[in-house]
Amino acid sequence: MKKEPDFEAFEDWLVYHSPWPAPSFWVKDNKLSSKQKSIVKKNAGLLLDKEAWIAHVATFEKQLTLIEDEDERSRVRAKFHIRFDHHCFPDHKADFSGFHFPCSVSFSGATFGNGGVRFNGAKFGEGNVWFQNIKLAEARISFEDIDVAGNFFVRNTRFPKKANFQRASVKGTADFSRNIFHKVPDFRDTVFARSPEVARMEVPPPEMKGKRLLKIAKDAEDAAKYRKLKAMALAANDHEKDIEFFAYEMRAKRGREKGSIKWYELLINSLYSISSNFGQSYWRPASGLAGSLSLFFVLYAVLISKFLTIAETLCFAFFHSFKNFVPFLGSLFRFAARPEGHPSGYDEIFHELAHDGGPVDWLVYLGIFQNFFGLILLFLLLLGLRNKFRLK
């Protein structure tokens, strides 16, 4: 005679027969009923006793194996959801490394004290895994090498210390939105079956050390961590986070990776950061162009002031700077239609300077330099606009 599964010992885990109406329903701590709090306390007590937890989960899995049809077995598993919502775990008691969670599980709103939180190597069965609005005090948290068969939601949480997701595997949806990390999270070698959500994730820039323009990254591993975050944002088509993590990666590479080690490479990296925040800003290069116009106007005026009147000096210095502060602008003036035999006032003053022995060569050389400087800033301006408004 076929033996029927008996889930009487797991009634508190049932979704539609427990005080929680659905696995995604989440309530605030002050709205938990006494029955809900009792269930959470019972589940937490079981979890904190490793041998008891292993035995209880083994019994649950044994009952499931009595269901021969695999699809039916999955449907039955989906009816269960383990709740630890808003439970306050004691200090130094939150090491669940290697634990198996056989169905959906929720740690939403849970508090973890000192001593760190570890789920290293834990296995989460089919369903949803919730870690939203958890409170970590000053604890580190590690999900290294976890295997999630379903969906993984880690949201709306402040991480004061290191958060490690290295080599995790998530076969369903992964959502890390609205988290605040005080240290760059480690997602290296993490495998996602679907593009993870990283919207409104706050990650700090890398810590630096050394002199101003030659600073290097403090942690040699940060560049790879930001690179993985950039890849996650790119996979999720989150352009804003993509360029933000790229900028952090560029900083984290300083002094640590090839192309950002020698002094002149560090200098170029610093100038790229200052001039456009690694392509994130269009106001900085625009301000640089405006500053170039003003700076070279002053330089030209000083050079020619001894050869011209004040009015001629100001007029020529402005137009010479204006024609050179953006590449090809001078060519537009040069090829603009003008009656034959009627040179512009600018050309007449230029000829007058040449005739009177003015610093023509200096004006030419500075103009070339201003053009080159303007070309770089123009490129950064267009790059910033492209990144800001997602232009192709």
Side-chain angles (χ1 to χ4, degrees), residues 47-265:
L47 186 67
L48 291 170
D49 185 340
K50 186 173 183 178
E51 292 184 0
W53 177 262
I54 292 174
H56 198 62
V57 170
T59 303
F60 180 78
E61 292 289 357
K62 183 177 181 180
Q63 298 306 310
L64 281 174
T65 59
L66 297 176
I67 304 173
E68 296 180 357
D69 184 75
E70 187 175 344
D71 291 337
E72 177 62 21
R73 192 185 310 133
S74 295
R75 283 193 289 269
V76 172
R77 190 189 296 271
K79 294 179 180 180
F80 295 88
H81 192 101
I82 311 170
R83 295 283 182 169
F84 302 99
D85 300 50
H86 300 287
H87 184 74
C88 185
F89 288 88
D91 292 353
H92 308 286
K93 297 287 186 179
D95 187 354
F96 310 115
S97 298
F99 278 40
H100 175 47
F101 299 87
C103 55
S104 292
V105 59
S106 174
F107 285 87
S108 294
T111 298
F112 297 94
N114 296 322
V117 186
R118 286 175 288 277
F119 287 89
N120 298 340
K123 295 185 181 299
F124 296 89
E126 298 171 16
N128 298 315
V129 181
W130 296 88
F131 281 91
Q132 63 180 15
N133 293 88
I134 61 174
K135 301 172 184 65
L136 290 170
E138 294 301 316
R140 298 181 178 185
I141 190 166
S142 180
F143 294 98
E144 186 174 324
D145 293 305
I146 65 169
D147 189 348
V148 182
N151 304 315
F152 190 43
F153 302 101
V154 183
R155 304 187 303 201
N156 301 317
T157 294
R158 184 182 72 87
F159 294 86
K161 299 292 185 180
K162 291 183 177 180
N164 185 7
F165 299 89
Q166 196 171 9
R167 294 185 301 279
S169 174
V170 181
K171 297 177 177 63
T173 299
D175 189 344
F176 303 98
S177 58
R178 302 192 180 201
N179 289 319
I180 300 175
F181 294 95
H182 290 256
K183 300 285 185 181
V184 55
D186 191 352
F187 285 94
R188 288 177 295 174
D189 300 314
T190 301
V191 178
F192 299 103
R194 303 174 187 173
S195 301
E197 182 60 68
V198 296
R200 299 178 67 178
M201 178 194 288
E202 294 184 26
V203 176
E207 295 182 35
M208 311 298 290
K209 63 180 181 179
K211 298 179 181 179
R212 292 183 180 179
L213 294 179
L214 301 179
K215 284 184 178 180
I216 64 172
K218 191 173 182 180
D219 192 330
E221 297 185 342
D222 278 355
K225 295 176 185 179
Y226 288 113
R227 192 176 298 121
K228 179 63 177 182
L229 286 171
K230 181 186 69 176
M232 289 165 58
L234 189 61
N237 293 315
D238 192 327
H239 188 72
E240 182 177 345
K241 286 299 175 184
D242 173 22
I243 62 173
E244 177 185 329
F245 295 145
F246 167 74
Y248 291 161
E249 180 196 352
M250 291 295 290
R251 290 191 181 97
K253 289 171 63 175
R254 292 175 58 84
R256 299 297 181 178
E257 293 189 359
K258 186 178 180 180
S260 299
I261 296 178
K262 297 177 180 178
W263 71 268
Y264 56 86
E265 294 169 337

Side-chain angles (χ1 to χ4, degrees), residues 324-337:
N324 287 295
F325 94 108
V326 174
F328 316 117
L329 190 59
S331 298
L332 293 178
F333 280 97
R334 189 178 303 114
F335 292 108

Side-chain angles (χ1 to χ4, degrees), residues 271-272 274-276 284-297 299-300 321 324-328 364-382:
L271 294 175
Y272 187 18
I274 294 170
S275 60
S276 69
R284 290 189 187 185
S287 299
L289 285 171
S292 166
L293 180 66
S294 302
L295 173 63
F296 282 91
F297 163 73
L299 291 176
Y300 297 142
S321 182
N324 287 295
F325 94 108
V326 174
F328 316 117
V364 172
Y365 296 146
L366 282 174
I368 293 173
F369 179 76
Q370 187 181 7
N371 257 272
F372 177 73
F373 187 62
L375 179 63
I376 295 173
L377 291 175
L378 180 62
F379 170 78
L380 294 175
L381 172 61
L382 296 176

